[in-house]
C-alpha cells in the first residue's frame, strides 16, 4: 500500500473513533438529562397527587362529620352499635351479632335516601372498634373487620 492510502486509513480510523466517542458522550448525556427530567416530573406529579388525595380525605371526613351531626337517625345507629357492646351488668341483652344486624338493617333502609352513598365509589360504616356495620359494596355483609370489604382491602394493600 502506498503511503497516502495508509495515511488516509489512519486518519479515517481516528475520525471514526472520535465520531463514535462523541456520539456515545451525546447519548449518555441525553439519557442522563431525560432521567433527571423524568424523576423531577414524577416527584412533582407525586406531590400533586398526594395533595389531591389529602384534599379528598379532608372532604370525606367533613362530609361524614356533617352527615353524623345533621342526621339524628344515622348518629343514633352509630352510637348504639358502638356503645351497645357493654350490657352495663344487666345481662340478657341482644347478642353482638343481633346488634350489628339491627344497625345494618337500619342503615340499609336509611342510606339509600342520602346522596352521600352515590357520590363515592367506596362507602362503609363501622363501629368505633372497626367492625363493619354497612358497606355500599355489599350491603348485607356486616360484623367483620373493614378489611373484609374488597375495595377497602385493595386500598389498604
Amino acid at each position: 500500500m502506498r503511503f497516502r492510502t495508509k495515511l488516509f486509513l489512519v486518519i479515517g480510523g481516528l475520525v471514526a473513533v472520535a465520531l463514535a466517542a462523541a456520539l456515545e458522550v451525546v447519548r449518555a448525556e441525553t439519557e442522563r438529562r431525560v432521567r433527571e427530567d423524568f424523576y423531577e416530573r414524577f416527584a412533582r406529579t407525586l406531590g400533586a397527587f398526594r395533595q389531591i388525595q389529602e384534599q379528598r380525605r379532608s372532604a370525606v371526613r367533613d362530609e361524614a362529620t356533617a352527615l353524623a351531626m345533621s342526621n339524628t337517625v344515622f348518629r343514633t345507629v352509630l352510637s348504639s352499635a358502638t356503645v351497645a357492646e357493654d350490657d352495663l351488668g344487666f345481662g340478657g341483652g341482644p347478642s353482638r351479632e343481633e346488634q350489628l344486624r339491627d344497625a345494618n338493617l337500619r342503615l340499609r333502609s336509611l342510606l339509600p335516601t342520602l346522596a352521600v352513598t352515590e357520590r363515592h365509589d367506596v362507602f362503609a360504616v363501622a363501629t368505633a372498634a372497626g367492625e363493619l356495620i354497612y358497606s355500599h359494596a355489599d350491603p348485607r355483609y356486616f360484623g367483620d373487620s373493614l378489611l373484609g370489604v374488597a375495595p377497602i382491602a385493595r386500598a389498604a394493600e
Side-chain angles (χ1 to χ4, degrees):
M1 278 210 276
R2 294 184 9 204
F3 179 73
R4 267 197 274 174
T5 307
K6 290 179 186 178
L7 185 62
F8 178 76
L9 289 175
V10 169
I11 291 175
L14 287 174
V15 168
V17 168
L19 184 60
L23 287 175
E24 177 59 27
V25 168
V26 168
R27 186 202 60 79
E29 182 64 18
T30 302
E31 184 177 318
R32 184 188 65 77
R33 285 187 181 179
V34 166
R35 283 183 194 267
E36 283 178 1
D37 184 51
F38 170 78
Y39 289 130
E40 179 183 327
R41 288 180 185 211
F42 184 76
R44 280 195 315 244
T45 303
L46 183 61
F49 177 75
R50 287 189 174 148
Q51 185 178 12
I52 289 170
Q53 196 175 24
E54 184 53 39
Q55 288 174 345
R56 286 183 178 167
R57 273 193 211 114
S58 177
V60 168
R61 249 189 327 265
D62 294 345
E63 192 171 7
T65 301
L67 175 64
M69 292 301 152
S70 66
N71 193 311
T72 56
V73 176
F74 185 73
R75 188 171 55 238
T76 303
V77 170
L78 286 181
S79 63
S80 66
T82 297
V83 177
E85 291 181 22
D86 190 4
D87 65 0
L88 302 175
F90 294 110
S95 70
R96 185 70 185 138
E97 184 177 339
E98 290 171 349
Q99 292 167 349
L100 291 174
R101 178 179 285 117
D102 178 57
N104 176 271
L105 289 171
R106 286 199 258 162
L107 285 176
R108 282 182 15 211
S109 67
L110 169 70
L111 290 176
T113 63
L114 302 176
V116 69
T117 59
E118 298 305 320
R119 284 196 300 263
H120 302 289
D121 295 332
V122 178
F123 183 84
V125 179
T127 66
E131 294 172 298
L132 181 67
I133 299 174
Y134 172 88
S135 77
H136 188 60
D138 188 1
R140 298 180 191 277
Y141 181 73
F142 65 92
D144 290 332
S145 168
L146 277 175
L147 293 179
V149 178
I152 294 174
R154 283 193 301 272
E157 288 175 2

